[in-house]
Amino acid sequence: MSTTALYTDLSHYYDVLCAEIDYPAQSDAVRRLNQIFGNGGQRHLDLACGTGAHVQHFLAAGFQSQGLDINQPMLDRAQQRCPTARFHLQDMSEFVLADQQDLITCFLYSIHYNADLAKLTACIQQAYNALASGGVFCFNAVNKDKIDNQLVASYSTVHADGVLSFQSAWHYSGQGQQQQLKIQISCQNQQLHHWHDQHTMVAVSFEQLLEILQPYFEVHLFEHNYHSIQPWDQASGNVIVVGVRR
């Protein structure tokens, strides 16, 4: 099953599956970083926006927020959630907008949905092109050299349709520019519905990521902690990246 097909299939359950995500904390942290490093503007684009949960928080904070995703059923739900926002059905490695932005975000490690380094580089170039002078590109990323293939994140939640269970895990073979995001989802009601999928995603070290970013951005790396802004400790394998358009 393709990634697009999977999320089309799961669009009805997506917000339930993401119920444990602290969207307010993530949005607030990025707004603070934007206040520190940004140009003061409030034109915002969220890449891989899904059902628009982050867009909703930026709109509430006074931003002129819009979203972009490759999956139309997700965007349909985003439009219902945020009727005043604009949403774009585009690939984030090829997107083009008519107007420049002051802040571009990409949450939930979605930058890795670019399948290889060429796609990742194209995405970063497009973000640069879409930003006004002094604008900020903010996203989170995982270092391929720090991935623990044995680590699995899992939780269950009750939904009107039954009990939903979700598991996800990164897997990197140790070589090459691609890694896998392995996902297992089940919905238990009168029948058992089960999804099992493996997404091919870009594998990148932080050194490689900096090489791609630095021709376009002044780069700052922070610990992956949305409750406290702290510089990256040079050891952890997850970071929040802030790129300021040169």
Side-chain angles (χ1 to χ4, degrees):
M1 180 181 292
S2 71
T3 301
T4 303
L6 175 71
Y7 282 104
T8 296
D9 203 18
L10 291 174
S11 59
H12 177 65
Y13 297 114
Y14 183 80
D15 287 332
V16 180
L17 294 170
C18 296
E20 293 193 355
I21 295 172
D22 195 341
Y23 290 105
Q26 293 182 6
S27 302
D28 289 345
V30 171
R31 285 199 301 271
R32 292 198 303 273
L33 289 167
N34 187 54
Q35 287 173 345
I36 295 169
F37 294 103
N39 60 15
Q42 293 189 308
R43 297 169 296 178
H44 166 241
L45 172 70
D46 189 31
L47 299 179
C49 68
T51 60
H54 288 105
V55 171
Q56 183 179 36
H57 287 285
F58 278 90
L59 287 170
F63 279 74
Q64 302 159 37
S65 190
Q66 52 189 312
L68 182 148
D69 203 283
I70 200 170
N71 186 275
Q72 187 60 55
M74 290 288 191
L75 291 178
D76 292 342
R77 292 185 174 274
Q79 194 71 74
Q80 292 173 3
R81 169 180 263 139
C82 307
T84 63
R86 286 184 294 164
F87 291 95
H88 309 271
L89 181 66
Q90 294 193 54
D91 186 316
M92 64 179 165
S93 68
E94 303 172 351
F95 77 93
V96 177
L97 297 180
D99 51 341
Q100 287 190 309
Q101 304 299 302
D102 302 303
L103 171 64
I104 296 177
T105 56
C106 189
F107 290 95
L108 307 180
Y109 298 107
S110 296
I111 197 77
H112 289 279
Y113 278 109
N114 293 288
D116 52 37
L117 291 177
K119 288 281 190 180
L120 176 63
T121 300
C123 177
I124 289 168
Q125 290 172 335
Q126 292 308 102
Y128 172 84
N129 292 337
L131 282 168
S133 178
V136 166
F137 184 28
C138 187
F139 59 92
N140 55 347
V142 61
N143 187 341
K144 68 178 184 179
D145 298 325
K146 297 286 186 177
I147 290 174
D148 181 352
N149 290 337
Q150 305 304 312
L151 188 62
V152 177
S154 61
Y155 70 91
S156 296
T157 187
V158 177
H159 181 259
D161 292 343
V163 178
L164 281 170
S165 298
F166 175 81
Q167 286 188 341
S168 67
W170 293 104
H171 185 273
Y172 180 55
S173 66
Q175 55 185 324
Q177 58 180 267
Q178 293 183 325
Q179 61 196 25
Q180 306 298 320
L181 178 63
K182 299 181 178 181
I183 293 177
Q184 294 186 55
I185 303 166
S186 63
C187 179
Q188 178 71 61
N189 45 30
Q190 295 180 352
Q191 294 181 325
L192 177 64
H193 303 277
H194 188 75
W195 295 267
H196 182 96
D197 204 65
Q198 184 168 288
H199 303 341
T200 298
M201 306 179 87
V202 67
V204 62
S205 69
F206 290 164
E207 290 78 9
Q208 290 174 313
L209 186 57
L210 287 171
E211 285 182 11
I212 298 170
L213 285 164
Q214 285 176 335
Y216 307 98
F217 297 95
E218 173 189 308
V219 184
H220 307 269
L221 301 182
F222 294 90
E223 284 294 296
H224 198 263
N225 182 349
Y226 289 106
H227 297 280
S228 177
I229 296 175
Q230 302 174 33
W232 179 47
D233 66 3
Q234 306 287 319
S236 61
N238 300 272
V239 292
I240 299 172
V241 179
V242 174
V244 184
R245 189 190 194 278
R246 295 186 184 279

